[in-house]
Amino acid sequence: MTTTVETGKSAVSHSSPGAAAPGPRRTGRLRRGSLPYLLLLPALALELLVHLVPMVIGITMSFKELTQFYLRDWGAAPWSGIGNYRVSVDFDAPVGRALLHSFLVTCGFTVLSVGLCWLIGTAAAICMQDAFRGRGLLRALFLVPYALPVYAAVITWVFMFQHDNGLVNHVLHDQLHLTGKPSFWLIGDNSFVALLVVSVWKGWPFAFLIVMAGLQTIPRELYEAAALDGAGVWQQIRRITLPSLRSVNQVLVLVLFLWTFNDFNTPYVMFGKAAPEAADLISVHIYQASFVTWNFGTGSAMSVLLLLFLLVVTGVYLALTSRGRRAADA
């Protein structure tokens, strides 16, 4: 209910408490509330197109007998149910045995690569913590492998690993005389070592960058107080640096694990479509199962199994780290 009191030429309106708010003000509030969601729509649409839609298509393909005979109309491929998954996990058959071997090689490669990347990156970041002449130049040089394009860096390493005129054999055999004869680095068992060297070389600068950023959050007063108490360098690292970097290292190790386990560019550029048995990473193995043998159904099933494995490992890792963080804070 509204009453109006007139005084001369002016009028004052009094609205009762139960009266409705003006329409334009409510419309403005709705517009301001919906604006963030409207801004997120382009990113959400791209996410659906780039990730979710191909994922759903790949899962659908894993339940079909999709071979080269159905490339023009893959929707007409017969439905196989879980037949592709049975073939993939049948470790007594050639396909399953080869997949298991590739999985074990990838696990060993990932553990060594992530461990060395973290160790070298952390050591380099700690060494760069104190100011000295030329520190900025060294930091920039350390980040060069991370800044280089993957293909350019890996192709350079391929030339260095050549048997006859490669730099690696020239240094190890001709200069240092550590080997009796030049080694084959791109075939045989040495291919695993070569792949590991390239992976660590291009991966440790990322760990160095993340740990170096984490070190900036540790107060210098802690180190000064520890030095006054007689703590050495190793005790300061063990008691101050590593505990303070726990949350940073938890995220860093998870990211390195996912990147390394899924790495396709490095082994593909080094060895091509047919990777040596010693360096048969699961990403290249799935590519061979899909695009070399033209069995896209089995390759899709292997990809889904890989996705499930990574989801389980990530979930377990996050659960364990969260429990450890809560125990440390208690």
Side-chain angles (χ1 to χ4, degrees):
M1 178 179 180
T2 303
T3 58
T4 303
V5 180
E6 295 184 359
T7 304
K9 295 181 179 180
S10 61
V12 180
S13 299
H14 302 279
S15 301
S16 61
R25 183 178 300 177
R26 179 180 299 178
T27 304
R29 290 178 180 177
L30 291 177
R31 290 178 178 176
R32 289 193 298 269
S34 60
L35 179 61
Y37 300 98
L38 293 177
L39 296 177
L40 285 176
L41 280 180
L44 181 60
L46 289 176
E47 183 72 17
L48 290 173
L49 292 175
V50 175
H51 294 286
L52 296 183
V53 173
M55 186 183 302
V56 173
I57 295 176
I59 294 175
T60 305
M61 291 169 57
S62 67
F63 294 101
K64 289 178 170 288
E65 295 182 5
L66 184 57
T67 60
Q68 68 269 28
F69 303 107
Y70 300 97
L71 290 182
R72 288 190 174 183
D73 187 11
W74 68 272
W79 191 264
S80 64
I82 61 174
N84 292 322
Y85 293 92
R86 290 178 178 175
V87 172
S88 301
V89 299
D90 186 6
F91 301 134
D92 295 328
V95 175
R97 192 182 307 114
L99 180 63
L100 178 61
H101 169 78
S102 178
F103 174 77
L104 296 177
V105 170
T106 307
C107 288
F109 169 78
T110 302
V111 170
L112 291 174
S113 179
V114 172
L116 290 174
C117 287
W118 177 85
L119 181 62
I120 298 174
T122 302
I126 293 176
C127 292
M128 296 291 107
Q129 190 175 11
D130 296 328
F132 58 89
R133 184 183 298 273
R135 183 179 67 165
L137 178 60
L138 282 179
R139 284 180 172 179
L141 291 177
F142 286 169
L143 294 177
V144 167
Y146 182 68
L148 283 176
V150 175
Y151 285 87
V154 176
I155 290 175
T156 303
W157 274 102
V158 170
F159 282 109
M160 293 172 61
F161 280 125
Q162 291 297 319
H163 177 264
D164 297 327
N165 53 5
L167 179 62
V168 175
N169 279 335
H170 177 71
V171 173
L172 296 180
H173 177 69
D174 300 335
Q175 299 292 332
L176 301 179
H177 304 288
L178 296 179
T179 58
K181 58 181 180 179
S183 303
F184 290 94
W185 294 102
L186 300 178
I187 59 176
D189 295 337
N190 289 334
S191 59
F192 181 86
V193 179
L195 181 61
L196 181 63
V197 168
V198 177
S199 177
V200 173
W201 178 82
K202 70 182 186 64
W204 78 265
F206 176 76
F208 164 73
L209 184 64
I210 298 301
V211 174
M212 185 174 60
L215 289 175
Q216 306 304 315
T217 63
I218 304 177
R220 298 297 302 172
E221 292 79 7
L222 295 178
Y223 293 101
E224 296 174 358
L228 292 176
D229 292 338
V233 176
W234 171 244
Q235 290 179 332
Q236 293 179 18
I237 294 175
R238 183 181 178 185
R239 301 295 184 180
I240 299 177
T241 305
L242 294 181
S244 301
L245 293 175
R246 181 181 290 111
S247 58
V248 174
N249 285 328
Q250 289 173 354
V251 178
L252 173 61
V253 170
L254 179 60
V255 172
L256 287 176
F257 167 78
L258 294 176
W259 283 0
T260 306
F261 209 95
N262 283 318
D263 189 13
F264 174 81
N265 294 329
T266 303
Y268 184 79
V269 176
M270 288 187 67
F271 309 116
K273 297 180 180 180
E277 187 177 358
D280 184 23
L281 298 188
I282 196 168
S283 57
V284 180
H285 186 86
I286 294 175
Y287 171 83
Q288 293 173 348
S290 301
F291 294 95
V292 176
T293 63
W294 298 95
N295 196 335
F296 295 98
T298 304
S300 299
M302 294 179 181
S303 299
V304 174
L305 292 175
L306 175 60
L307 174 63
L308 294 177
F309 170 77
L310 294 178
L311 288 177
V312 170
V313 172
T314 302
V316 173
Y317 178 82
L318 293 177
L320 292 177
T321 53
S322 300
R323 184 181 304 175
R325 191 183 304 113
R326 288 195 297 268
D329 296 339

